[in-house]
Amino acid sequence: MNLFAYTRAASIAEAVTAAAEPGAAYLAAGTNLLDLMKGGIATPSRLVDITRLPGLDAVEPQPDGSTRIGALVRNSDLARNAHVAKTYPMVAEALLAGASAQLRNAATTAGNLLQRTRCAYFYDPASPCNKREPGAGCQAIGGATRIHAVLGWSEHCIATHPSDLCVPLAALGAQVEIAEAGGRRTVPIGDFHRLPSDHPERETVLEPGALVTAVILPPEAAAFSGHARYLKVRDRTSYAFATVSAAAALTLENGRIGAARLALGGVALKPWRVAEAEDALTGATPDAEAFSKAAAALVAGAKPSGPENAFKIELARRTVVRALTLAQAGTPARMPALPASPFSHAAGALHA
Amino acid sequence: MSIPLRLTVNGERRDLVLEDPRVTLLDALRERLHLTGSKKGCDRGQCGACTVLVDGRRINACLALAVSLDGASVETVEGLANGDALHPVQAAFIAHDGFQCGFCTPGQIMSAVGLIREMREAGESVGDAADVERVREGMSGNLCRCGAYAGITEAVVAAARAEAQAGEKAA
């Protein structure tokens, strides 16, 4: 790990100023950053510790029906928050399907959005990587690509975003609140992460020094609490990143779908949400045919980034159909003992 | 650079001066305070051998910067037993043969202590097959290269049930 200067920020304004300095990085829990620093993948010259910033660690239901989630709310606290578990159950399920309990107790909401890809070539300083060194090339292309992207990738980068949390947040149309030198603004989470295109090193819309202060779930997101599931297909039953995951939420009215929310994880460098897929469900009878149509619309244009990941397209389609089928059946009263697992048959903890 | 750091470790106040901000909580415990129960397995947050409780919650000590935890309360495996009387989770690991070589055991035990607290706080019961699945999921951040998982799971389930029963009697 390189030597770095350490600053403990006392205010958001102080943090934004300190972090705008070239080479500076924010430190919250550090569960991803320290790992990257130990591997020589991240080498910040200054860490700006934001863990003592006041007012960023609360989950606050708002009068307009939206919910403000502070940037520093820990994953486990967010998942166990009674309001979140009841109102946005697929957010809780996705969180509890991610990482290990130790990591969830430390990792923060904003840190989850900003975690880096788990591409093995990105993690290996000996491999050329356009994210680490723009223009160096991509060793993943033509390499071992089983976990890589099938949507939205470019000839410069085929990595995926590893977050579980971001998938239901994207499906529910969350807004990301950002503090920067000029003030505060909010960005839809769908626009927050960038696809690799020609600049895989630019991962989000954040400018230097910009600080994520909150994630806001809009009022309409609460309508889906009764029929919402997150489904995560992974190589191990627990403590593994998604091979493919899906967040699916429905409102049902008189035997028909009123509204639908759908997003895929593990397939692209951002959660994948397509309006046509949700439109295909609106007003439809909730059956296998409608779910298949929506799944096809969601993966439209998918293309393997290597021969080893062609299977992910069909897997994604089936995962979406299964997630929709589970959502239709209704949010379980108790969180499954193995959250989001296709192998979980027993109900475990109370949802809220 | 010298950075003052105050921790409460196993109930005792410890004042440290770090000459380098790179010191992790794990290194502070092992190298500065000579509490070597917490183990450095992978040092990358993958194995759980370094699990300790910070402000009552289990975390990976290898992925936390000590300087960031100024003022925190830390519980390590050294603080569990009361004299010669083992903590119930320690006793359960012996009773159920929850280890072989022992390297991952302090992390397993601290993780189990944290899990049982989490289950208690969430009002989760420990009484049927689903809870065994819940315990296995809850302990998945702790690897055991000897493969003593069967005994570990039995030990944690037994300790959780014993605590739940004790809690019911107390109530």
Side-chain angles (χ1 to χ4, degrees):
Chain A
M1 197 189 300
N2 63 295
L3 191 57
F4 53 84
Y6 174 82
T7 304
R8 187 177 293 154
S11 70
I12 288 173
E14 193 184 306
V16 168
T17 304
E21 181 189 308
Y26 284 118
L27 172 74
T31 51
N32 188 210
L33 182 60
L34 286 187
D35 186 29
L36 292 163
M37 289 170 71
K38 288 179 182 194
I41 300 130
T43 54
S45 53
R46 176 180 296 277
L47 289 188
V48 180
D49 185 344
I50 55 169
T51 54
R52 310 298 167 107
L53 290 181
L56 298 185
D57 62 351
V59 176
E60 298 165 309
Q62 304 291 308
D64 68 353
S66 65
T67 299
R68 190 173 190 279
I69 301 163
L72 293 176
V73 175
R74 311 279 174 178
N75 287 179
S76 50
D77 288 336
L78 185 57
R80 299 292 184 202
N81 178 280
H83 172 70
V84 169
K86 184 168 181 282
T87 316
Y88 318 108
M90 67 181 178
V91 170
E93 188 162 21
L95 282 162
L96 293 175
S100 67
Q102 288 95 320
L103 291 165
R104 294 193 294 267
N105 279 342
T108 63
T109 302
N112 187 291
L113 267 60
L114 290 163
Q115 66 184 302
R116 311 291 296 277
T117 182
R118 293 283 162 171
C119 172
Y121 300 94
F122 170 74
Y123 259 78
D124 172 20
S127 298
C129 171
N130 287 322
K131 271 189 180 299
R132 274 188 279 107
E133 196 187 332
C138 170
Q139 194 131 329
I141 294 172
T145 58
R146 189 172 171 278
I147 68 159
H148 288 80
V150 293
L151 283 157
W153 53 273
S154 78
E155 60 185 4
H156 304 289
C157 179
I158 60 170
T160 55
H161 194 262
S163 170
D164 291 301
L165 170 63
C166 289
V167 182
L169 290 181
L172 293 172
Q175 299 278 324
V176 182
E177 184 187 84
I178 298 163
E180 49 198 3
R184 295 212 187 187
R185 62 175 172 137
T186 58
V187 174
I189 194 169
D191 299 334
F192 181 76
H193 297 103
R194 290 175 187 269
L195 288 175
S197 181
D198 295 340
H199 287 285
E201 77 282 7
R202 293 165 64 186
E203 300 182 341
T204 68
V205 296
L206 296 177
E207 298 295 335
L211 176 73
V212 173
T213 49
V215 171
I216 297 156
L217 284 163
E220 58 272 21
F224 299 92
S225 61
H227 295 274
R229 290 306 297 270
Y230 183 68
L231 185 65
K232 178 176 178 180
V233 181
R234 50 202 139 161
D235 287 348
R236 290 188 301 231
T237 307
S238 174
Y239 201 13
F241 291 99
T243 307
V244 167
S245 69
L250 302 169
T251 64
L252 297 176
E253 294 157 14
N254 305 320
R256 288 187 179 272
I257 296 168
R261 296 299 176 86
L262 210 49
L264 274 168
V267 295
L269 206 44
K270 61 194 284 186
W272 201 257
R273 186 181 176 200
V274 172
E276 288 76 16
E278 295 174 9
D279 293 346
L281 290 166
T282 307
T285 307
D287 56 21
E289 193 192 332
F291 295 164
S292 294
K293 269 188 195 165
L298 190 53
V299 301
K303 201 170 74 171
S305 58
E308 291 169 11
N309 57 48
F311 77 97
K312 287 175 79 169
I313 299 170
E314 179 59 22
L315 181 62
R317 210 178 273 131
R318 294 183 190 191
T319 304
V320 168
V321 170
R322 180 123 167 217
L324 282 165
T325 307
L326 290 169
Q328 183 201 356
T331 307
R334 284 157 66 92
M335 179 67 74
L338 297 173
S341 169
F343 303 111
S344 190
H345 35 73
L350 284 172
H351 237 317
Chain B
M1 194 182 318
S2 69
I3 307 165
L5 174 67
R6 175 173 297 177
L7 296 173
T8 301
V9 181
N10 298 326
E12 214 175 294
R13 198 176 113 181
R14 306 296 294 261
D15 289 294
L16 294 165
V17 176
L18 303 179
E19 70 289 351
D20 188 322
R22 290 177 289 189
V23 178
T24 61
L25 175 62
L26 179 62
D27 287 339
L29 292 170
R30 289 182 55 86
E31 310 295 335
R32 315 294 162 110
L33 298 175
H34 308 295
L35 293 168
T36 54
S38 309
K39 295 292 184 273
K40 186 180 276 194
C42 69
D43 204 30
R44 302 290 286 268
Q46 296 176 5
C47 76
C50 66
T51 301
V52 298
L53 305 187
V54 171
D55 295 331
R57 301 150 60 112
R58 53 184 169 149
I59 67 163
N60 299 114
C62 74
L63 285 186
L65 279 186
V67 61
S68 183
L69 296 175
D70 188 30
S73 176
V74 182
E75 294 166 74
T76 71
V77 73
E78 287 90 347
L80 283 186
N82 185 3
D84 286 339
L86 293 179
H87 184 279
V89 174
Q90 291 175 308
F93 268 69
I94 293 174
H96 294 273
D97 208 11
F99 49 86
Q100 185 173 313
C101 84
F103 184 86
C104 71
T105 309
Q108 298 278 1
I109 287 175
M110 293 312 293
S111 191
V113 170
L115 171 62
I116 291 167
R117 280 190 201 175
E118 287 160 20
M119 293 176 74
R120 182 176 58 210
E121 283 168 14
E124 296 174 32
S125 64
V126 185
D128 57 30
D131 302 317
V132 175
E133 209 169 54
R134 170 75 181 92
V135 164
R136 286 167 58 84
E137 195 288 324
M139 293 295 294
S140 69
N142 292 82
L143 304 189
C144 170
R145 288 188 69 177
C146 301
Y149 295 110
I152 291 167
T153 304
E154 276 182 26
V156 180
V157 169
R161 285 181 182 165
E163 198 204 80
Q165 281 164 5
E168 276 164 27
K169 276 178 199 157

